[in-house]
């Protein structure tokens, strides 16, 4: 029997709905309302680059324009409603999910020990007891507080002294937790002083099978449709083989259905959905026409290949590309309007000059940048000003470019 097909327009609508971008960008943006946004997304990636606003702040702002960074800091550091760990990268995650990271912490404990010894070329394991003793006695510490008698390398942020490596290892494996950040520097404390006892007690941790089931089920709920590889990559702490096994079992039990997803170029690719997907109201609900600036690390764009297939939007962040070789710019923001990614903009908040400076904007091919779209773009820039910490917008000469 041939597989049914989910058309491209409907697939985009479903995908955007699951990422909270098919509803009007409005509503409360602090406390339990903000926590629900993060819960529904699953996590929010943290990133230090602050050309306009940091990635986590822009991700939340795109969905709740009343959001301000202090609300996230309160949830994380005072209310202890979030914890920090790794998905595909560093992220803040609802504290209710903490037990589901037991498998990740256990696997990291085994995997990173030898890998980091080879990477850093020092015996950080010998420093772990002294680092733990210091945290136990002094309370929260940053990486600059430990191993003060150890030589610091000038080779880059990835070259850690032994006690810094021990600190990171103790966090990744579960003995320590991140209690918050100063600027963007992590503050570490004993896990029992950060995470509720019922959550960090190993006796309450799910087993491997339960974790695989949770990871796949919850990833699918947040993606709408996915391949086994995409399910594994969502939280990034189970393997593709484990996700494939889960999909096979769910498919055999009638709890999954395989459907062809139409890409932007008309090609078809199979993916899994839950039965009853054809009745999902998101398939026919048009997202708002309001134009939104997205972070390069927005959940919609995190999987670059999926974004290219679904939206025809080929995006590469060029932070690490030499300037002369960049197609666009150092840190270029995608622009979403309705169910389309309509362009990308190179802009930066110059806080010393109190202005958000737009250097260049490239509409996507086939997108007309007329008066209405320009007005929508300028309205979004005005909304961004408080988040960027400036009060005015400035456009460079020849800022509107032809598609590349």
């Amino acid at each position: 029997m041939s597989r049914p097909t989910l058309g491209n327009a409907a697939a985009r609508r479903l995908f955007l709905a699951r990422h909270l971008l098919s509803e009007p960008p409005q509503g409360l943006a602090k406390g339990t309302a903000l926590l629900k946004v993060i819960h529904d997304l699953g996590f929010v990636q943290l990133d230090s680059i602050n050309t306009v606003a940091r990635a986590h702040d822009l991700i939340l702002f795109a969905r709740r324009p009343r959001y301000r960074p202090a609300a996230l800091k309160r949830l994380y550091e005072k209310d202890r409603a979030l914890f920090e760990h790794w998905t595909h990268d560093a992220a803040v995650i609802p504290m209710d999910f903490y037990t589901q990271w037991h498998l990740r912490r256990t696997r990291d404990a085994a995997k990173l020990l030898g890998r980091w010894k080879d990477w850093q070329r020092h015996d950080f394991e010998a420093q772990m007891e002294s680092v733990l003793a210091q945290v136990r006695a002094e309370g929260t510490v940053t990486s600059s507080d430990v191993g003060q008698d150890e030589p610091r390398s000038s080779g880059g942020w990835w070259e850690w002294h032994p006690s810094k490596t021990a600190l990171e290892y103790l966090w990744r494996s579960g003995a320590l937790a991140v209690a918050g950040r100063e600027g963007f520097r992590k503050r570490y404390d004993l896990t029992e002083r950060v995470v509720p006892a019922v959550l960090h007690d190993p006796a309450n941790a799910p087993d491997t099978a339960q974790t695989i089931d949770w990871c796949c089920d919850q990833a699918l709920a947040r993606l709408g449709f996915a391949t086994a590889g995409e399910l594994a990559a969502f939280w990034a702490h189970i393997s593709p083989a484990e996700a494939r096994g889960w999909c096979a079992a769910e498919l055999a039990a009638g709890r999954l259905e395989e459907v062809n997803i139409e890409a932007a170029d008309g090609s078809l690719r199979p993916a899994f959905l839950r039965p009853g997907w054809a009745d999902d109201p998101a398939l026919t609900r048009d997202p708002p026409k309001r134009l939104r600036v997205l972070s390069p690390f927005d959940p919609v764009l995190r999987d670059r290949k999926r974004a290219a297939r679904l939206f025809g939007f080929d995006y590469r962040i060029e932070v690490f590309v030499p300037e002369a070789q960049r197609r666009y710019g150092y840190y270029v923001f995608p622009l979403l309007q309705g169910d389309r990614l309509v362009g990308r903009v190179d802009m930066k908040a110059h806080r010393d000059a109190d202005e958000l400076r737009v250097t260049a904007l490239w509409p996507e091919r086939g997108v007309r940048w007329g008066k209405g779209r320009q007005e929508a773009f300028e309205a979004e820039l005005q909304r961004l000003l408080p988040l960027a910490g400036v009060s005015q917008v400035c456009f460079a000469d020849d800022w509107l470019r032809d598609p590349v």
Side-chain angles (χ1 to χ4, degrees), residues 46-363:
L46 300 171
D47 191 73
S48 61
I49 297 174
N50 192 12
T51 55
V52 172
R54 289 196 165 110
H56 42 284
D57 294 324
L58 195 53
I59 288 168
L60 295 170
F61 177 87
R63 291 151 176 86
R64 296 289 186 274
R66 292 163 66 177
Y67 166 80
R68 295 296 180 267
L72 181 63
K73 188 174 181 68
R74 181 184 179 93
L75 271 183
Y76 180 15
E77 299 182 13
K78 184 173 182 180
D79 298 344
R80 298 290 184 215
L82 304 168
F83 73 98
E84 181 174 338
H85 213 273
W86 277 67
T87 53
H88 66 293
D89 210 323
V92 285
I93 305 154
M95 186 65 81
D96 289 352
F97 297 172
Y98 187 84
T99 58
Q100 302 297 341
W101 261 249
H102 176 75
L103 180 64
R104 176 66 177 262
R105 292 188 294 270
T106 301
R107 289 179 170 178
D108 278 357
K111 176 178 66 177
L112 299 180
L113 197 59
R115 181 181 294 180
W116 282 7
K117 281 183 179 180
D118 292 341
W119 173 38
Q120 296 294 341
R121 299 182 181 179
H122 57 229
D123 185 16
F124 70 89
E125 193 175 3
Q127 304 303 318
M128 289 198 286
E129 282 305 319
S130 64
V131 167
L132 274 174
Q134 182 177 348
V135 176
R136 193 175 293 115
E138 297 178 9
T140 58
V141 301
T142 68
S143 60
S144 62
D145 297 322
V146 299
Q148 293 187 348
D149 59 341
E150 297 169 9
R152 262 58 169 173
S153 170
S154 59
W157 63 266
W158 58 90
E159 293 189 18
W160 300 339
H161 57 84
S163 291
K164 158 69 173 173
T165 311
L167 196 63
E168 286 286 315
Y169 179 84
L170 290 164
W171 166 51
R172 293 283 294 272
S173 57
L176 299 180
V178 178
R181 288 181 178 252
E182 294 174 2
F184 210 69
R185 178 177 290 180
K186 294 193 288 288
R187 293 186 292 107
Y188 305 81
D189 203 348
L190 299 176
T191 298
E192 56 263 34
R193 296 200 290 232
V194 177
V195 178
V198 68
L199 295 179
H200 72 75
D201 185 346
N204 296 326
D207 62 25
T208 298
Q210 290 170 322
T211 301
I212 292 169
D213 180 66
W214 183 90
C215 284
C216 292
D217 175 68
Q218 293 297 306
L220 186 57
R222 288 165 174 81
L223 293 171
F225 52 87
T227 65
E230 289 167 344
L231 294 179
F234 186 85
W235 307 104
H237 59 266
I238 65 170
S239 71
E242 289 168 331
R244 286 194 297 271
W246 181 86
C247 289
E250 291 291 289
L251 194 63
R255 293 190 293 267
L256 276 188
E257 187 173 341
E258 198 166 19
V259 175
N260 283 325
I261 307 297
E262 183 185 22
D265 64 3
S267 62
L268 300 178
R269 188 170 189 261
F272 296 106
L273 294 90
R274 289 297 192 190
W277 60 269
D279 298 322
D280 194 315
L283 297 179
T284 55
R285 185 169 67 239
D286 288 328
K289 293 300 182 184
R290 177 159 154 177
L291 190 146
R292 306 188 220 199
V293 172
L294 299 183
S295 163
F297 300 109
D298 194 279
V300 165
L301 296 156
R302 177 172 67 89
D303 185 332
R304 310 295 192 207
K305 292 180 180 179
R306 185 171 53 212
R309 285 196 310 272
L310 197 56
F311 298 98
F313 189 78
D314 184 15
Y315 183 83
R316 178 189 184 192
I317 193 163
E318 297 182 292
V319 168
F320 300 112
V321 177
E323 185 173 0
Q325 298 175 28
R326 291 174 187 153
R327 294 181 67 194
Y328 298 103
Y330 172 79
Y331 197 83
V332 172
F333 299 88
L335 301 175
L336 175 72
Q337 190 172 35
D339 66 354
R340 299 177 67 192
L341 287 157
V342 297
R344 59 196 86 199
V345 59
D346 183 10
M347 60 183 180
K348 183 178 180 179
H350 291 263
R351 296 176 181 93
D352 54 344
D354 193 31
E355 65 183 24
L356 178 60
R357 193 173 302 163
V358 178
T359 303
L361 186 149
W362 297 266

